[in-house]
Amino acid sequence: MTSSAAQQDLAEPHLRQVLAGVGLDVEYVRAEGNTLHRLDENGRSVPVLDMMGGFGSLILGHHHPRIVARAKELLDARVPVHAQFSRHPYANEVAAVLNDIVHRELGTTEPYHAIFANSGAEAVEAAVKHAEFDRVQKVSALEAEIVAHLERTWEAVRGGTARVPGDVLAALEVDAPADPLAGFDRAAAEVQARNAAELARPPLFLTPEGSFHGKLVGSVQLTHNESFRVPFRSLAAQSRFVPLDDPGAIVKIAERERRHLLDLTVTGDRVVLTERPLPVFCAFVLEPIQGEGGIHPLTAEFVREARRVCDALGCPLVADEIQSGMGRSGAFFAGSLIGLRPDYVTLAKSLGGGIAKTAVTLIRASRYRPEFELLHSSTFAKDGFSTQLALTVLQLLEADDGAVYRRAAERGARLRAALEAVRTEYPEIVREVRGTGLMLGLEFHDQSAATSAEIRELATAGFLGYAVAGYLLREHRVRIFPTGSAVNTLRLEPSVDLTDAEIDQVAEGFRGVCRVLHAQDGRRLVGA
């Protein structure tokens, strides 16, 4: 049935207009491997090399035959999708396989419990919710201990076995009355008022500059790009962003945000005022390889310092492996290549094999709060269809002693060498090639001072990367996009089945872009 409304642009019409402006509003009708097929103006199918890979969701390519076959089997078998609050043995199998991988790559034997979700952003939301639940439980225990101390101290003062000395009253800025009971009442009231003020302040997150962890209410607060985050900053806890080039800044930020509660106890015959550290930071959340921030791998030094500070603060370290994980880096966890030892890990994207929408948050057993399972749920998470497809994906990745990981490293090295050759030919156009494995970025030099008016205006508006993507699609049949927060960086995240011919096609496409930019041919860039 076709309604009159269907003839209008109602599904995100503004986005379609933006895409149309740079020639990216095409319809894709079929996909396999690294190829998408679009319709041209005559309705004919045109193959396009997909270097986006579903923003990192297709480490095994579009419609991998084994995954498609398994999906068909599950649907034909009428596997329940909606059977919440029942046993889910296949989800447990996925968690078990993931634990084997965690133990192998992260060098631990501690179990990691699994909370399933539908998307990467939702997995991050589950992680930060659990971390905040854990922090609140710790704060509540500390608060209860201080209340118990206050009651015991009151009994000692009332019984005449302890008194409130002048230095305690002075520290609290309380006048010293003649009556010792009145002095205690004033001191206790001031302690309670100050503690209440501290407890009313919201928690904070730590995360690196350039980070991206989703666009939901909580996860967007962890995203460094202000255009994504600031309009919604009043809705959730805030982050403190750590410079990547200064690991020591983590300590400075932690010290600057340090808070405490006051505690009154008795030592001998004196009431003593002490400061008790208050858990402030909910979690430190980071990507081993920053995706939307411009494809920046973190350094071993940075993650070592992050781990040290988290241990000192007592807050968990969360590794967002949603885009970098599942073998894309040449290892299952990109963080394992730089010595990252997280308390939580989030996975999504390729976990569903390009077909199922599934994600998972792994939490170290020693930090896990079982009660959280009764507070957090998701209608489609942990169902028999998506978890069994995820199990198939993991079997494919782990087959032949991890042959997929070795191929990702080898194909990534070959692709990077081809891109470096382009940079060598056009150093005034290409600023840098960076990344790990099959998660690479090519950054162009800023063109905001270009002599071409078209190129200059695109660069100034932050649309040069999208115009380059439109040119590559139109002229070279290569699909690619810039990263969300570093718009001069083009991302490349193909599947492990990338061929030499496809790599050559990408390299020749970028050479074409460089020739256009070198000639300052703005009209050709935009297809005018």
Side-chain angles (χ1 to χ4, degrees):
M1 181 176 69
T2 302
S3 69
S4 59
Q7 307 305 313
Q8 306 175 44
D9 278 340
L10 300 176
E12 299 184 333
H14 178 65
L15 176 60
R16 179 171 178 177
Q17 290 176 2
V18 171
L19 294 174
V22 287
L24 295 172
D25 62 328
V26 300
E27 178 186 1
Y28 295 101
V29 295
R30 197 171 81 254
E32 70 275 328
N34 285 314
T35 303
L36 281 164
H37 295 265
R38 71 177 182 89
L39 297 179
D40 66 13
E41 60 276 8
N42 298 313
R44 292 175 298 198
S45 178
V46 177
V48 172
L49 174 57
D50 182 15
M51 295 301 290
M52 284 294 301
F55 294 89
S57 299
L58 297 167
I59 188 64
L60 297 174
H62 289 279
H63 292 122
H64 187 283
R66 279 271 306 277
I67 299 171
V68 170
R70 185 59 176 146
K72 290 178 178 178
E73 289 173 3
L74 294 169
L75 292 173
D76 288 342
R78 307 293 194 269
V79 168
V81 174
H82 296 285
Q84 299 90 336
F85 275 73
S86 62
R87 291 183 65 243
H88 295 273
Y90 297 108
N92 197 60
E93 287 188 55
V94 172
V97 174
L98 288 171
N99 265 266
D100 289 342
I101 297 170
V102 165
H103 297 160
R104 181 187 73 224
E105 292 206 352
L106 304 186
T108 180
T109 58
E110 186 175 355
Y112 278 66
H113 295 292
I115 298 171
F116 285 84
N118 304 294
S119 69
E122 189 182 334
V124 171
E125 295 277 326
V128 299
K129 277 183 66 179
H130 185 282
E132 174 60 1
F133 181 65
D134 181 57
R135 189 193 73 88
V136 167
Q137 298 302 304
K138 292 175 180 176
V139 170
S140 296
L142 175 60
E143 189 179 4
E145 186 179 333
I146 289 173
V147 170
H149 288 171
L150 197 62
E151 291 173 353
R152 287 199 291 270
T153 303
W154 162 242
E155 292 294 335
V157 172
R158 188 176 64 176
T161 60
R163 61 182 181 81
V164 183
D167 60 339
V168 169
L169 296 173
L172 293 170
E173 299 178 326
V174 170
D175 294 333
D179 182 357
L181 293 180
F184 176 82
D185 286 342
R186 294 181 184 180
E190 183 63 22
V191 165
Q192 290 171 321
R194 293 191 187 187
N195 285 352
E198 288 296 326
L199 291 167
R201 295 171 66 182
L204 298 171
F205 292 97
L206 285 165
T207 192
E209 291 181 352
S211 60
F212 177 90
H213 300 283
K215 295 180 181 178
L216 299 182
V217 170
S219 56
V220 76
Q221 305 304 329
L222 301 164
T223 294
H224 189 224
N225 187 327
E226 290 188 350
S227 64
F228 295 147
R229 172 174 47 87
V230 169
F232 313 104
R233 66 181 306 168
S234 63
L235 296 180
Q238 303 300 300
S239 294
R240 297 294 181 262
F241 294 96
V242 181
L244 283 172
D245 58 357
D246 181 14
I250 307 173
V251 174
K252 297 172 188 174
I253 293 171
E255 181 61 27
R256 187 169 66 242
E257 300 293 347
R258 187 174 68 89
R259 303 179 204 162
H260 60 264
L261 298 183
L262 299 176
D263 193 6
L264 290 174
T265 57
V266 175
T267 300
D269 63 350
R270 292 168 56 89
V271 173
V272 177
L273 177 69
T274 56
E275 293 183 349
R276 305 288 300 276
L278 175 65
V280 174
F281 290 102
C282 185
F284 194 138
V285 188
L286 54 79
E287 306 154 272
I289 305 171
Q290 292 187 329
E292 300 299 324
I295 317 297
H296 292 280
L298 300 190
T299 65
E301 179 190 9
F302 187 93
V303 300
R304 273 198 309 270
E305 184 67 1
R307 178 74 272 175
R308 189 184 71 79
V309 171
C310 283
D311 289 342
L313 294 173
C315 79
L317 180 59
V318 180
D320 180 344
E321 291 268 12
I322 290 163
Q323 195 166 169
S324 61
M326 304 294 298
R328 183 161 294 282
S329 67
F332 188 90
F333 295 115
S336 69
L337 301 175
I338 52 174
L340 178 59
R341 298 295 180 264
D343 301 299
Y344 298 21
V345 183
T346 57
L347 293 167
K349 292 190 181 289
S350 286
L351 184 63
I355 293 177
K357 298 174 177 65
T358 188
V360 68
T361 302
L362 301 174
I363 302 175
R364 187 188 296 274
S366 57
R367 286 192 171 272
Y368 190 63
R369 295 276 185 175
E371 317 93 282
F372 184 74
E373 296 170 20
L374 302 178
L375 301 175
H376 179 84
S377 62
S378 178
T379 299
F380 286 91
K382 205 171 62 172
D383 69 276
F385 179 76
S386 65
T387 54
Q388 291 196 67
L389 280 189
L391 189 60
T392 300
V393 170
L394 293 174
Q395 290 166 348
L396 289 167
L397 294 178
E398 289 286 291
D400 191 21
D401 195 29
V404 166
Y405 312 140
R406 296 190 295 275
R407 182 162 177 80
E410 184 274 325
R411 292 286 81 189
R414 171 74 170 79
L415 175 60
R416 182 166 186 161
L419 298 176
E420 287 285 5
V422 176
R423 186 187 66 81
T424 300
E425 292 174 40
Y426 295 94
E428 76 286 3
I429 303 297
V430 179
R431 182 176 183 272
E432 186 179 13
V433 177
R434 55 181 176 266
T436 306
L438 286 171
M439 188 171 176
L440 299 175
L442 182 146
E443 183 181 359
F444 290 99
H445 284 291
D446 179 37
Q447 296 288 323
S448 57
T451 56
S452 162
E454 293 95 341
I455 295 174
R456 185 171 63 251
E457 289 169 8
L458 285 166
T460 303
F463 277 96
L464 179 65
Y466 292 96
V468 168
Y471 170 86
L472 286 168
L473 179 63
R474 184 179 66 252
E475 300 287 336
H476 295 275
R477 297 184 179 181
V478 173
R479 183 172 190 257
I480 202 165
F481 276 98
T483 59
S485 300
V487 293
N488 286 336
T489 298
L490 279 293
R491 76 178 86 207
L492 301 95
E493 299 184 49
S495 84
V496 292
D497 292 325
L498 186 70
T499 66
D500 286 349
E502 289 170 336
I503 290 172
D504 292 342
Q505 181 180 347
V506 172
E508 184 53 38
F510 275 115
R511 285 190 178 89
V513 172
C514 290
R515 286 192 289 267
V516 168
L517 291 177
H518 180 77
Q520 290 291 287
D521 191 348
R523 291 181 59 79
R524 184 173 181 188
L525 181 66
V526 299

